[in-house]
Structure formats: C-alpha cells, structure tokens
Amino acid sequence: MPGDVIVRTSSPYTAILIEEKTSGMVISSNFVIIRCKSQKLLPEYLFWYLNTEEIKKDIFVNSAGNMLVAIKPQYFNALKLNLPDLKKQKLIADFNLCARRELELLEQLKKEKERYYKLCLEKHM
C-alpha cells in the first residue's frame, strides 16, 4: 500500500518506501511492513529515519541469530521516536526523496554516458 515502509529484517536492514508504482508487490517473510497510522508521523520521514546510520547500528546491536542475523519485527513496534513537528518532517523527507532521485538520475546519466563513449570509440576503431 502506498505510504508503507518496508524494512529488510536481515543485514543491511534497508528500508524502502512504497509508492504508487511499487504498490501491490508481494513482500517475503524477510521483510517487515510498517504502516504509519498516526497523523504525527509522515511515512517519508520514517523511511529516511530508518535508513540513517544511527538506526541501522541500533538495529544491528538489537539483532539476534546464529546463521542469519535478523531483527525481530517487535523491535520496530517498540522503537521510540523523537519526532520533530510535521513541517520539519516534511522538509527532511522532501529533501531526502529529492536527493535520492537526483542520485538515481546521475547514475542513469553515468550509464548512458558510458554507453555513448563506448559507441563513439567503437565507431572509430
């Protein structure tokens, strides 16, 4: 469902934000779904927060297991958040989403440039 935050329960504990284009996907048991039911927390802010190094380190410290180290879904239920006001959450969330989109576009541009340069060189050999 759009607005859900999905977190991988094993390392590297990556969180993703479900959007319209990724809605309806099947989530395996290696992930936990977090749905923001409070009007005091923006899903986009939670997505950013769960991907911070501070939280990833905390998850690692609280994870358990012998072969496959994983975090229990209860960890996220008990997670205490010091939430800024909604305006600041929105500012952080928008900046994070914009920065991620810019990096995706730069990566795409890099791949296109590599293809272009390769074609140019192949034409002249």
Side-chain angles (χ1 to χ4, degrees):
M1 166 179 259
D4 286 353
V5 177
I6 311 298
V7 183
R8 184 176 167 165
T9 57
S10 58
S11 184
Y13 312 109
T14 305
I16 62 164
L17 178 66
I18 300 298
E19 299 170 320
E20 287 294 329
K21 64 183 176 183
T22 53
S23 182
M25 296 175 66
V26 176
I27 307 299
S28 79
S29 62
N30 297 358
F31 295 84
V32 65
I33 301 170
I34 303 171
R35 188 164 292 150
C36 298
K37 293 183 179 180
S38 170
Q39 299 297 320
K40 296 178 182 179
L41 174 61
L42 297 175
E44 299 85 356
Y45 178 81
L46 180 62
F47 163 64
W48 166 78
Y49 185 76
L50 292 175
N51 279 309
T52 62
E53 287 303 314
E54 177 184 345
I55 291 300
K56 286 190 176 194
K57 285 178 187 174
D58 191 58
I59 291 171
F60 182 76
V61 167
N62 287 285
S63 57
N66 292 335
M67 295 298 281
L68 177 65
V69 179
I71 191 71
K72 293 181 180 176
Q74 295 86 346
Y75 168 86
F76 298 101
N77 194 36
L79 186 63
K80 300 291 180 205
L81 302 172
N82 292 323
L83 295 175
D85 61 58
L86 286 173
K87 185 176 180 181
K88 185 161 186 176
Q89 285 184 47
K90 181 148 179 48
L91 182 69
I92 291 169
D94 288 349
F95 183 84
N96 180 55
L97 292 174
C98 185
R100 284 177 174 270
R101 180 67 180 139
E102 180 184 17
L103 292 172
E104 287 173 11
L105 290 170
L106 287 169
E107 187 62 34
Q108 186 178 346
L109 177 62
K110 177 184 174 228
K111 288 176 183 174
E112 291 294 324
K113 287 284 191 175
E114 286 172 348
R115 252 192 305 269
Y116 171 73
Y117 295 143
K118 184 178 176 182
L119 284 171
C120 286
L121 288 170
E122 287 174 356
K123 277 185 175 181
H124 297 297
M125 294 192 105

